[in-house]
Amino acid sequence: MTQSTGKPKTVKLVENDSKLAGKRNKASLPKPQLTKPSAKPQLTTTKTLSTRPTKINRGRKNKTITKSKEKKRKKDNKTQKPKEKKEEVATPTHFPYFMDNYCPPECACYGRVVQCSDKGVDRVPYGIPYNARYILLMNNHIDSIQLDLLNEYVSMEFLVMSNNRLTDGTIEGAFEGVPALKRLYLDRNLLKSVPTDLPVSLEELRLDNNQLGVMSEAAWARCPGLLVLSLSNNSLGNGSESLPNAVLSPLCNLRTLNLDHNQLTSVPQGLPLSIKELYLKGNLIGQFPAFSTLKNLEHLGLARNKIFKVAIGAFRTLPVLHQLDLCHNTLRQVPRQLPQGLHSVALSNNKIQSVPRDAFCWGDKKQREQDIKPHPACEPVRRTDRVVVLFSFIRMNPGGFLPKMHQELGNIRKFAHLVKI
C-alpha cells in the first residue's frame, strides 16, 4: 500500500515545480509569443522537458526558411533586372521625343548640337530636340524633307545638309517659317534652281556643286539680310550668257559672292553695291569692262578665265581694292591704271610682254614732273607689295616678257627707285 500511495505525491511535486518554472519564464522572457500559455497543462515530466527543445528547433527552422526565401528573392531579382531593361528598350512610349534631354539613336548630341552626319540615313532622324541650335546631317542619303518639319525648331541657327540627294520638289516649302535660321548648307545635292522659300533671317547660303542653271530675282527677295552667297561649281550662264541683269539686286547687304567654276561669259551686271569679295575663277570671261558701281570691293578673283584684254582704267573705279588675281589668263600686258590702294596683283601664267608706264603710277603728267614728291599713287610704302608681285610674274612669264625686257627697263627702274630696292 505504501508503494501505491507514493506515486501521487511525486506527481504533485512535479506539478508544483512546473508551475514555478512557468512563472519564472514568464517574468524573464519579454517576447509575447513565448509567454502564451497552452490550452491544457501537461502533467508528465517527459512532455515538459521536450517543450524547450521543440521551441528552439522551430526558431532554427524559421531562420533557415527566411534565409532560403531571401536567396530566392535575390535570384528572382537578378533574373528580373535584365527583363526590365529589355522592356524599356522595346517600348518607345517612355521616350521624350523632341524634348531637351532626348537624342535620336542615329545621332550624337552635345548640348544643343545634334550630330547626325555620316550615318547612312535616308531621312531626317525622328525626335531631334526642338531646342537644338546646330543640326548636322551631311554625307547621308536623305532625299526629302518633310513639309513643316522644321517649323517647330525656333532656336535652330545652323542647318547642314551637304552631300545628300535633295531635289527641287522634295524640299519645296521645307524652310518657310523657320524663324532663327542663319546658315543653310545645301551644297553637293541635285538642285537645279534656288529654293524660293528661304527664311528672312538667313545670312549665309551655300549651293555649291549642284546643277543650278537658272535663278530669278524673286528667289532673293525673301532674304534681304543675306551676307554670304556661294554658288560655285554649277552651270550658271550655260556658256553663252551671264546672269540676268540686277538679278541679285534685292541682296542689299551681300558681302561675299562666290561664282567660281560656272559658265559665265562676262562679269554680272547690277551687282549689290555692298559686295566686298567677288570670286569669278574658272569661268569663260574673255574681256573685262570697267567697273562703275562696286566702290566697296576689296578682293577680286578672275583667275583661270580667258581674259586677253582689260579696258584702260577698268579697275581704277575700285578705290578700296586690295587684292587682284589674274593668274592663268592670256594677258599680254599689265593692266593700265590700277587702283591706288592695291596691295597685291597676281599675274602668273599669262603672256605678259610689256609693263605700261601708267600701270601703277598714273595721274597728271605735269604735276608729276613739277612736284618734288612722287605722285600719291607711287608712294614707296604703298608700292612695295606690287613690285614684289611684278617681279614674280616676270619669272613666271619668261617667254613673253624677257625678249622685250630692255624696252620696259626704264619703268622697272622707276619702280625700283620708288621702293628703294
Side-chain angles (χ1 to χ4, degrees), residues 373-420:
K373 295 181 179 180
H375 190 266
C378 299
E379 292 180 4
V381 177
R382 294 184 180 179
R383 296 300 159 204
T384 304
D385 293 339
R386 285 180 235 175
V387 174
V388 172
V389 176
L390 175 66
F391 281 98
S392 68
F393 87 74
I394 290 174
R395 291 195 299 270
M396 293 299 294
N397 300 276
F401 185 81
L402 290 179
K404 295 186 179 181
M405 185 174 180
H406 64 281
Q407 297 179 5
E408 309 300 333
L409 189 58
N411 294 335
I412 295 173
R413 285 177 180 173
K414 186 178 181 180
F415 300 144
H417 174 70
L418 290 174
V419 298
K420 298 180 181 180

Side-chain angles (χ1 to χ4, degrees), residues 2-178:
T2 56
Q3 292 178 357
S4 62
T5 55
K7 290 180 180 179
K9 287 180 181 181
T10 56
V11 172
K12 288 180 181 180
L13 289 172
V14 170
E15 287 178 357
N16 291 328
D17 292 334
S18 62
K19 287 179 181 180
L20 290 171
K23 289 179 181 181
R24 289 175 183 174
N25 291 328
K26 287 179 182 180
S28 61
L29 296 174
K31 295 181 181 181
Q33 293 178 354
L34 298 176
T35 56
K36 288 181 181 181
S38 59
K40 294 181 180 180
Q42 295 179 355
L43 299 176
T44 58
T45 56
T46 56
K47 290 182 180 180
T48 55
L49 293 172
S50 63
T51 53
R52 289 182 182 178
T54 52
K55 289 180 182 180
I56 292 167
N57 290 332
R58 285 179 185 175
R60 288 178 181 175
K61 287 181 181 180
N62 290 330
K63 287 180 182 180
T64 54
I65 290 166
T66 53
K67 286 181 180 179
S68 62
K69 286 181 179 180
E70 286 177 0
K71 288 181 181 179
K72 288 181 180 180
R73 287 175 184 175
K74 287 180 180 180
K75 289 181 181 179
D76 293 333
N77 291 329
K78 288 181 181 179
T79 55
Q80 287 177 0
K81 282 182 181 179
K83 289 182 179 179
E84 290 177 357
K85 289 182 180 179
K86 290 181 180 179
E87 288 178 357
E88 288 179 359
V89 174
T91 56
T93 55
H94 301 289
F95 285 172
Y97 292 117
F98 305 105
M99 301 301 290
D100 299 351
N101 57 351
Y102 176 72
C103 186
E106 304 94 341
C107 307
C109 301
Y110 309 95
R112 299 175 70 180
V113 179
V114 182
Q115 171 63 272
C116 308
S117 304
D118 301 285
K119 302 298 182 182
V121 296
D122 56 357
R123 60 180 180 84
V124 178
Y126 184 77
I128 294 177
Y130 284 142
N131 72 334
R133 291 181 61 188
Y134 304 103
I135 300 178
L136 312 178
L137 293 163
M138 73 276 281
N139 303 327
N140 285 295
H141 307 295
I142 300 173
D143 55 2
S144 64
I145 302 176
Q146 184 180 350
L147 188 65
D148 300 332
L149 176 64
L150 304 176
N151 291 348
E152 299 294 333
Y153 292 90
V154 295
S155 301
M156 183 175 60
E157 299 178 4
F158 189 16
L159 176 61
V160 182
M161 302 199 72
S162 307
N163 195 19
N164 279 281
R165 300 175 182 177
L166 299 174
T167 59
D168 296 338
T170 57
I171 64 171
E172 186 176 358
F175 308 109
E176 187 175 4
V178 183

Side-chain angles (χ1 to χ4, degrees), residues 106-292:
E106 304 94 341
C107 307
C109 301
Y110 309 95
R112 299 175 70 180
V113 179
V114 182
Q115 171 63 272
C116 308
S117 304
D118 301 285
K119 302 298 182 182
V121 296
D122 56 357
R123 60 180 180 84
V124 178
Y126 184 77
I128 294 177
Y130 284 142
N131 72 334
R133 291 181 61 188
Y134 304 103
I135 300 178
L136 312 178
L137 293 163
M138 73 276 281
N139 303 327
N140 285 295
H141 307 295
I142 300 173
D143 55 2
S144 64
I145 302 176
Q146 184 180 350
L147 188 65
D148 300 332
L149 176 64
L150 304 176
N151 291 348
E152 299 294 333
Y153 292 90
V154 295
S155 301
M156 183 175 60
E157 299 178 4
F158 189 16
L159 176 61
V160 182
M161 302 199 72
S162 307
N163 195 19
N164 279 281
R165 300 175 182 177
L166 299 174
T167 59
D168 296 338
T170 57
I171 64 171
E172 186 176 358
F175 308 109
E176 187 175 4
V178 183
L181 187 61
K182 294 182 179 180
R183 302 168 64 187
L184 177 60
Y185 289 8
L186 296 174
D187 52 297
R188 289 176 290 169
N189 279 280
L190 303 175
L191 301 176
K192 295 183 179 180
S193 62
V194 179
T196 58
D197 57 346
L198 298 173
V200 180
S201 59
L202 198 62
E203 295 180 358
E204 181 180 358
L205 176 62
R206 296 189 179 273
L207 294 168
D208 312 281
N209 296 93
N210 277 279
Q211 302 174 8
L212 301 180
V214 181
M215 69 172 65
S216 62
E217 186 176 347
W220 310 114
R222 300 178 64 91
C223 49
L226 196 65
L227 301 176
V228 179
L229 176 60
S230 187
L231 301 169
S232 64
N233 292 282
N234 282 285
S235 302
L236 297 173
N238 296 320
S240 60
E241 56 185 7
S242 184
L243 297 179
N245 191 13
V247 67
L248 298 173
S249 58
L251 304 177
C252 55
N253 295 312
L254 190 64
R255 295 181 182 178
T256 302
L257 177 60
N258 187 354
L259 294 170
D260 288 345
H261 300 288
N262 279 278
Q263 300 178 15
L264 302 174
T265 56
S266 62
V267 179
Q269 299 296 316
L271 295 175
L273 302 178
S274 58
I275 290 182
K276 292 185 176 182
E277 300 179 11
L278 178 59
Y279 302 102
L280 295 164
K281 178 181 178 181
N283 281 277
L284 304 175
I285 300 172
Q287 295 185 6
F288 196 83
F291 274 105
S292 60

